[in-house]
Amino acid sequence: MPPHAGVDLPRAICAAVIKCSFSPHARLLAADPSLLAAVLGRLSPLPSAALAFFRALPPPHPLDATLALVRLLAAHPRHHPVARSLLRDLSLRHPLSSPLVLPSLLAEPRVPSWLLLALAQGGRAGDAVRVFDHMRAAGLAPDAHACTALLTSLARARMTATARRVFDEMGLAGVAMNTHVYNAMLHVCLKAGDAARAEALMTKMDAAGVPLDLFSFNTAIALYVRKGMQYEAMCVRDRMANDGVEADIVTWNTVIHGMCKEGRMKEAAQLHRDMVAAGVEPDMVTYTTLVDGYCRAGDVGEAMKLRGAMEGRGMLPGVAMYNAIIRKLCEDGKMKEVNGLLSEMDERKVQADHVTCNTLINSYSKKGDMPSACKVKKRMMESGLQLDQFTYKALIHGFSKAKQLDEAKEALFEMMGAGFSPNYSVFSWLVDGFYKKNCADAVLLIPDELLKRGLPPDKSVYRSLIRRLCKKGLVDLAQKVLHQMQGKGLEADCLVYATLAYAQLSTGKLAAASDTLDEMSKRQLSVTPQIYNCLCTSYGDEKETLNMFWVHAIERALIGKSVYKLMHQARVKSSNPGVENEGHAPVSRPSLPASAK
């Protein structure tokens, strides 16, 4: 007979646990997780003994047993902190949001909310949403703390559409919607820039008798400022005072930032005085915001005066304040004063950052002083700062402008090698540089040079080159780049064909333009609203050619209803002197082809 035949093992082991003499059974328990779970079930009236027993067993502890212990402890409020800690640790090692595990956790009402909280606070928004959906399907409502954490996690992950859906379902599930839950949803609105929904939420809070607190008001103010709605932001600040909620430094800094953002420095200065009168001491953010605002408004003198007042209060400027002043001085070409500030930063041990270096590189590049720009780049790298896309763009622009095309291409290769994708402007500078040196044919070598560097050019590279060559009237070269592109197995898109066809029309190559448009039709490509706007913006001052292009496109059914509607709107605006045309060329209104109806 088996050694334990006829013996109720779980009961026997429970008795051994109570006597603290269960060690002979430890190996058996480790080999039989179901037995361990059964023992824990028998120990449910003795949570402290169950916990001590569990901790005494050698790890790793089986999943089923750990979950059994969590459910056991959930019935005893004194052990809730331990249960939540166990569940949080367990969620890091096992996919507890899976349909195979979740059902066992839904039996104890408190546990799902704990799991939801652990996943949300751990930044696992997707898993947390799955747990929430399973709870809803089981008719369970999470507690307010877990709901707040879930909405906050979704806001951080910028899953704003999911957050809106979850919030609506929270109301349907009967969640106790307190100020904290509403605040989390207001934070979602801030991330999404959704002022209308934020207003609706605040109205709903008022109707439900849920009080708005300092966080509520500050979030709403920040949202309005971000949207440029300064009047609404000030109205919220006034309501704070009426509701007896005292504005803090965040409130004041936010409304001051809003005024500075719009260049309303008189109002910003008055807010600064009101802030001091209210007994709120300005901090570094306050002064930096005001100094930046004065610099952007072109008043460096007032910015320096305010900086002196700040230092009189015992606060030294940080890198953000230096950057604001340096940017304006660079714009004004006052490089001697800039060098003085850089020396001061060194003396005060204020480390220059990306903004400082990029501002200097951009300024030197615009002046054509590439040796100085390269010195800043070298110093930037020596200090451990990584070059970003703005650094590379400034260098490429500067080298192209100075007709140092080899250096410009090298900066391009470095940029792409670092993982940054150059935009249309970057290739425009290169094409313009080669054009000014009367060697535009060299543009054809760029794709192959990229390939040799292990950077195979994609469609966007060819598209940018073709667009800029067409803009310069170099239609034959653009056609050669298109052949190169197709030779690499890359299909041209509608923008490439449309740009090429327009350039062919504008240079009198009517037969070639007709062939290109026919190729578009053959490939079933159509002009989208985005491409329509792009062409109208690029060639808005060439209305006659642009109208001719649209007529040819309509004849070949390359224009759909949405673009035709934009054309009609542009025509109406151009015929109404009181309406701005927004750069769109007015077009004649041919009849809509049957294929577009």
Side-chain angles (χ1 to χ4, degrees):
M1 290 179 62
H4 299 287
V7 178
D8 185 346
L9 267 180
R11 186 172 183 177
I13 295 175
C14 285
V17 168
I18 295 170
K19 296 177 182 178
C20 300
S21 59
F22 63 88
S23 54
H25 302 286
R27 182 177 299 177
L28 178 62
L29 290 168
D32 191 346
S34 60
L35 178 59
L36 175 55
V39 171
L40 289 170
R42 292 292 184 95
L43 289 171
S44 56
L46 302 169
S48 297
L51 182 59
F53 159 65
F54 185 81
R55 285 175 169 169
L57 292 173
H61 300 121
L63 173 62
D64 290 346
T66 308
L67 293 177
L69 179 64
V70 169
R71 291 192 295 269
L72 184 158
L73 298 177
H76 303 276
R78 187 165 65 91
H79 293 286
H80 284 179
V82 175
R84 288 196 295 268
S85 178
L86 281 171
L87 193 62
R88 183 171 57 252
D89 294 342
L90 197 62
S91 69
L92 298 176
R93 302 192 304 271
H94 298 280
L96 299 187
S97 62
S98 82
L100 297 176
V101 179
L102 263 180
S104 67
L105 294 171
L106 298 179
E108 168 55 51
R110 299 178 186 85
V111 175
S113 288
W114 293 347
L115 177 58
L116 187 61
L117 180 66
L119 293 172
Q121 290 180 337
R124 296 161 64 185
D127 289 340
V129 169
R130 280 193 288 276
V131 172
F132 175 82
D133 290 339
H134 277 285
M135 292 180 70
R136 286 284 292 122
L140 299 175
D143 61 39
H145 189 192
C147 289
T148 302
L150 174 56
L151 291 172
T152 301
S153 178
L154 290 170
R156 287 174 179 164
R158 297 193 179 274
M159 298 169 64
T160 52
T162 302
R164 288 192 291 267
R165 190 263 298 176
V166 166
F167 179 79
D168 291 341
E169 292 192 8
M170 286 175 182
L172 296 174
V175 173
M177 308 290 272
N178 58 22
T179 300
H180 300 296
V181 178
Y182 276 107
N183 282 349
M185 192 59 205
L186 283 171
H187 186 53
V188 171
C189 294
L190 175 63
K191 292 288 187 180
D194 193 344
R197 185 174 288 268
E199 289 174 0
L201 279 174
M202 295 171 71
T203 301
K204 192 173 181 180
M205 291 175 74
D206 289 335
V210 179
L212 281 77
D213 62 8
L214 182 61
F215 185 91
S216 315
F217 288 118
N218 282 347
T219 304
I221 290 171
L223 174 54
Y224 284 133
V225 166
R226 181 178 294 180
K227 299 289 286 184
M229 302 165 68
Q230 310 309 330
Y231 173 77
E232 290 80 357
M234 296 303 295
C235 287
V236 173
R237 193 203 65 157
D238 292 342
R239 180 185 164 178
M240 288 178 70
N242 294 335
D243 287 5
V245 179
E246 189 173 346
D248 65 356
I249 188 68
V250 175
T251 317
W252 287 104
N253 284 344
T254 305
V255 292
I256 288 172
H257 170 67
M259 295 302 175
C260 292
K261 182 181 175 183
E262 295 191 351
R264 296 161 60 177
M265 296 312 299
K266 287 185 178 180
E267 291 97 323
Q270 183 59 52
L271 285 170
H272 178 215
R273 290 190 290 271
D274 293 344
M275 175 184 182
V276 174
V280 180
E281 286 294 319
D283 62 3
M284 180 65 74
V285 175
T286 317
Y287 285 112
T288 301
T289 301
L290 286 165
V291 167
D292 182 68
Y294 280 120
C295 287
R296 291 183 185 277
D299 194 345
V300 180
E302 194 62 34
M304 298 302 286
K305 185 193 299 184
L306 192 63
R307 175 194 151 175
M310 182 193 77
E311 293 191 11
R313 288 174 171 265
M315 288 185 281
L316 295 178
V319 66
M321 184 175 291
Y322 279 113
N323 286 343
I325 301 171
I326 288 172
R327 183 189 63 247
K328 180 56 184 171
L329 292 175
C330 283
E331 288 174 0
D332 294 344
K334 297 180 179 179
M335 301 310 293
K336 183 177 180 180
E337 289 89 335
V338 169
N339 289 329
L341 284 178
L342 293 172
S343 297
E344 184 180 295
M345 289 175 69
D346 285 339
E347 292 171 4
R348 292 181 171 181
K349 308 298 182 186
V350 178
Q351 181 66 45
D353 62 7
H354 281 90
V355 176
T356 320
C357 297
N358 286 344
T359 300
L360 293 169
I361 290 173
N362 189 50
S363 179
Y364 286 127
S365 295
K366 284 182 176 179
K367 291 176 177 293
D369 185 359
M370 297 314 295
S372 295
C374 291
K375 285 180 182 177
V376 177
K377 173 194 171 185
K378 182 180 179 182
R379 183 174 177 183
M380 186 177 180
M381 298 175 69
E382 288 173 349
S383 63
L385 293 173
Q386 296 294 321
L387 276 62
D388 59 20
Q389 58 181 324
F390 302 104
T391 319
Y392 289 115
K393 286 177 69 175
L395 289 168
I396 294 168
H397 187 208
F399 283 128
S400 298
K401 188 176 179 181
K403 299 182 182 179
Q404 297 176 242
L405 281 310
D406 288 339
E407 290 82 352
K409 286 195 297 182
E410 192 62 35
L412 171 68
F413 301 149
E414 288 181 16
M415 179 182 188
M416 296 182 70
F420 299 110
S421 298
N423 59 9
Y424 170 67
S425 296
V426 170
F427 290 104
S428 297
W429 299 327
L430 284 167
V431 170
D432 291 355
F434 282 115
Y435 180 77
K436 289 175 184 176
K437 289 189 73 173
N438 296 316
C439 53
D441 287 352
V443 171
L444 298 173
L445 301 177
I446 292 177
D448 287 336
E449 289 180 275
L450 284 170
L451 193 60
K452 289 177 182 177
R453 300 282 185 122
L455 303 166
D458 59 13
K459 189 184 298 184
S460 66
V461 173
Y462 290 103
R463 183 197 297 122
S464 297
L465 292 173
I466 291 169
R467 286 181 63 198
R468 193 59 184 178
L469 288 169
C470 287
K471 186 70 174 174
K472 304 298 290 187
L474 303 172
V475 182
D476 292 337
L477 271 180
Q479 187 76 53
K480 288 180 181 179
V481 175
L482 175 59
H483 290 155
Q484 267 191 353
M485 178 182 182
Q486 293 170 331
K488 294 290 192 300
L490 296 173
E491 290 293 332
D493 56 21
C494 183
L495 182 57
V496 169
Y497 281 114
T499 303
L500 184 58
Y502 179 89
Q504 289 165 338
L505 275 176
S506 65
T507 54
K509 298 177 181 292
L510 301 183
S514 181
D515 290 342
T516 301
L517 290 169
D518 287 342
E519 185 67 18
M520 283 182 67
S521 179
K522 179 182 175 182
R523 295 176 180 271
Q524 297 184 334
L525 299 173
S526 60
V527 176
T528 65
Q530 292 78 12
I531 293 175
Y532 170 79
N533 288 329
C534 178
L535 291 174
C536 286
T537 301
S538 299
Y539 305 106
D541 56 345
E542 303 171 13
K543 295 177 182 176
E544 184 177 344
T545 305
L546 197 55
N547 279 339
M548 187 191 309
F549 174 81
W550 294 129
V551 169
H552 282 291
I554 290 171
E555 288 174 350
R556 290 167 174 80
L558 300 176
I559 303 296
K561 285 184 178 180
S562 57
V563 174
Y564 203 84
K565 184 177 179 181
L566 289 175
M567 289 179 173
H568 176 60
Q569 290 172 350
R571 185 177 63 83
V572 171
K573 287 181 180 179
S574 67
S575 63
N576 185 350
V579 179
E580 187 179 354
N581 191 28
E582 298 180 354
H584 291 178
V587 296
S588 55
R589 193 177 185 188
S591 59
L592 187 64
S595 59
K597 291 180 180 178

